[in-house]
């Protein structure tokens, strides 16, 4: 009978211990019984000022942790039955790279929601995997744990950050977090975070400009891999080409392709009177781009003079004159340019003259040639008219041409004027010459 009585007493003790370590506080209109002495021992948490729980069954509120190199002995049931609360806002930032990610979460309380702060020596463990089965996310952290932190932000609600590296590009990952206290008590797993590492960025070519027009540009890059045996980590889901006027303070135009084999895109709706900056991004599985800056396109030339005078022609002596000086045109952009020439009459309020390739009544001729010094009359072979003409290997050619003028180089454009065979004009006639840059 004595043995049976001892067994019954032990059973009652264990049941009492279990009832103190789990479940919400027991309360009535005038009294509240908390689950451990840490929360109940001061009297502040009871329903009245006259009642408090000074100690739980088998629980000692005070007393240091006793330990040796191999063993730890903790005081009180608080360390035996309590554990960190569950993190519910575990998430990956959107700033992940091809091989890394930063996580963020709020510090949980301790012992459910009753303890305001994690205990000294608590830490976090994160498991990251590109698959979810069979047992990668068990109830406790396993060998896949790759990130842990110390008791950073132990106050409840404090934001904690931690990073993970050695990820594979363009891969979808799953991650969960556990909080553990110094005694090895493990909380429940957090919510599961899902994210995708960025795809490898496209490689820039030495010459990324394929063509430039007044309202569009076609640019190129090195395409990524597109099919096995290349792994998904070497490929992407497509590309986006973007343009900005302020080195990507704001995107003003874009073009997209979902063909991983593509290595060129044309950007429309541009105005090449402006300088544009370009970048190309490769998409990952989540349609997040990883950018490579291609550079800028500045299609720009500048002339050294605004007015050129031919003086007076004496028809009894000559029918033509060569300009005393040239118009010097310099490529001040960052890509080679070929020059287009255009001219028309701008006499105010109007002029009976019309420019053409050969003289006639009220029809003068204006010719141009690119030459380093004042050319001979026979060097001129192309007229400037109301139609735009592009310089080539023969048109406007002297000892230089207006074709593919390199960056920072100049060309001297000389003019020859042939008077009309007759004229009805008595005013001083004015002609306008316009040079425009195009991509070779």
């Amino acid at each position: 009978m004595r043995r049976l009585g001892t067994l019954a007493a032990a059973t009652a003790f264990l049941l009492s211990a279990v009832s103190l370590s789990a479940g919400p506080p027991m309360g009535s209109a005038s009294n509240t019984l908390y689950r451990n002495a840490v929360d109940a021992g001061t009297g502040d948490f009871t329903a009245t000022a006259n009642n408090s729980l000074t100690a739980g069954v088998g629980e000692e509120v005070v007393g240091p942790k006793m330990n040796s190199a191999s063993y730890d002995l903790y005081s009180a049931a608080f360390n035996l039955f309590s554990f960190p609360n569950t993190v519910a806002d575990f998430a990956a930032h959107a700033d992940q790279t091809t091989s890394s990610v930063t996580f963020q979460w709020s510090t949980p309380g301790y012992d459910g929601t009753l303890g305001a702060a994690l205990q000294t020596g608590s830490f976090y463990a994160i498991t990251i995997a590109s698959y979810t089965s069979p047992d990668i996310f068990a109830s406790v952290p396993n060998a896949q744990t790759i990130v842990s932190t110390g008791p950073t932000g132990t106050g409840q609600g404090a934001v904690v950050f931690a990073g993970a590296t050695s990820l594979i590009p363009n891969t979808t990952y799953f991650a969960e977090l556990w909080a553990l206290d110094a005694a090895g008590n493990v909380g429940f797993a957090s919510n599961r975070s899902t994210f995708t590492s960025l795809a490898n960025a496209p490689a820039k070519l030495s010459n990324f400009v394929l063509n430039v027009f007044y309202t569009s540009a076609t640019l190129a890059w090195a395409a990524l891999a597109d099919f096995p045996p290349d792994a998904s980590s070497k490929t992407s889901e497509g590309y986006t080409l973007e343009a900005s006027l302020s080195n990507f303070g704001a995107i003003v135009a874009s073009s997209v392709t979902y063909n991983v084999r593509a290595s060129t895109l044309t950007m429309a709706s541009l105005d090449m009177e402006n300088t544009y900056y370009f970048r190309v991004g490769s998409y990952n599985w989540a349609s997040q781009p990883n950018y490579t800056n291609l550079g800028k396109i500045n299609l720009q030339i500048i002339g050294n003079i605004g007015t050129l005078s031919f003086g007076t022609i004496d028809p009894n002596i000559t029918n033509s004159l060569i300009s005393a000086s040239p118009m010097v045109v310099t490529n001040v952009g960052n890509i080679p340019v070929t020059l287009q020439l255009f001219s028309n009459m701008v006499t105010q309020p109007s002029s009976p003259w019309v420019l053409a390739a050969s003289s006639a009544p009220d029809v003068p001729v204006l010719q141009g040639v690119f030459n380093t010094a004042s050319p001979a009359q026979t060097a001129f072979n192309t007229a400037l008219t109301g139609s735009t003409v592009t310089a080539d290997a023969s048109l406007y050619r002297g000892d230089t041409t207006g074709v593919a003028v390199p960056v920072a180089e100049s060309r001297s454009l000389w003019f020859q004027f042939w008077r009309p065979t007759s004229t009805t004009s008595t005013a001083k006639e004015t002609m306008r010459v316009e040079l425009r840059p195009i991509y070779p």
Side-chain angles (χ1 to χ4, degrees), residues 159-179:
V159 178
V160 181
F161 298 91
T165 58
S166 301
L167 305 181
I168 300 172
N170 196 25
T171 301
T172 297
Y173 285 94
F174 309 91
E176 291 182 6
L177 173 142
W178 289 262

Side-chain angles (χ1 to χ4, degrees), residues 214 301 338-344 355-357 366-368 370 381-397 401-403 413 433-438:
Y214 290 118
I301 59 174
T338 291
L339 302 173
Q340 291 184 327
L341 284 72
F342 169 87
S343 183
N344 64 345
L355 291 173
L366 182 65
Q367 295 176 313
F370 292 104
N381 61 8
T382 311
L384 285 79
T385 65
S387 299
T388 300
V389 179
T390 303
D392 62 19
S394 58
L395 298 179
Y396 306 110
R397 181 184 180 93
T401 72
V403 179
L413 179 62
V433 175
E434 181 178 324
L435 275 71
R436 302 171 181 171
I438 63 171

Side-chain angles (χ1 to χ4, degrees), residues 337-355:
V337 295
T338 291
L339 302 173
Q340 291 184 327
L341 284 72
F342 169 87
S343 183
N344 64 345
M345 301 301 304
V346 291
T347 306
Q348 296 297 326
S350 63
S351 173
W353 286 13
V354 177
L355 291 173

Side-chain angles (χ1 to χ4, degrees), residues 102-182:
T102 300
F103 294 104
Q104 174 182 323
W105 64 92
S106 299
T107 302
Y110 194 74
D111 189 26
T113 59
L114 298 180
L118 292 180
Q119 303 303 294
T120 300
S122 298
F123 67 98
Y124 303 100
I126 301 173
T127 294
I128 302 175
S130 58
Y131 52 92
T132 59
S133 62
D135 298 313
I136 190 65
F137 294 106
S139 58
V140 293
N142 53 37
Q144 294 295 318
T145 301
I146 62 173
V147 177
S148 63
T149 69
T152 303
T154 54
Q156 189 173 8
V159 178
V160 181
F161 298 91
T165 58
S166 301
L167 305 181
I168 300 172
N170 196 25
T171 301
T172 297
Y173 285 94
F174 309 91
E176 291 182 6
L177 173 142
W178 289 262
L180 297 85
D181 65 15

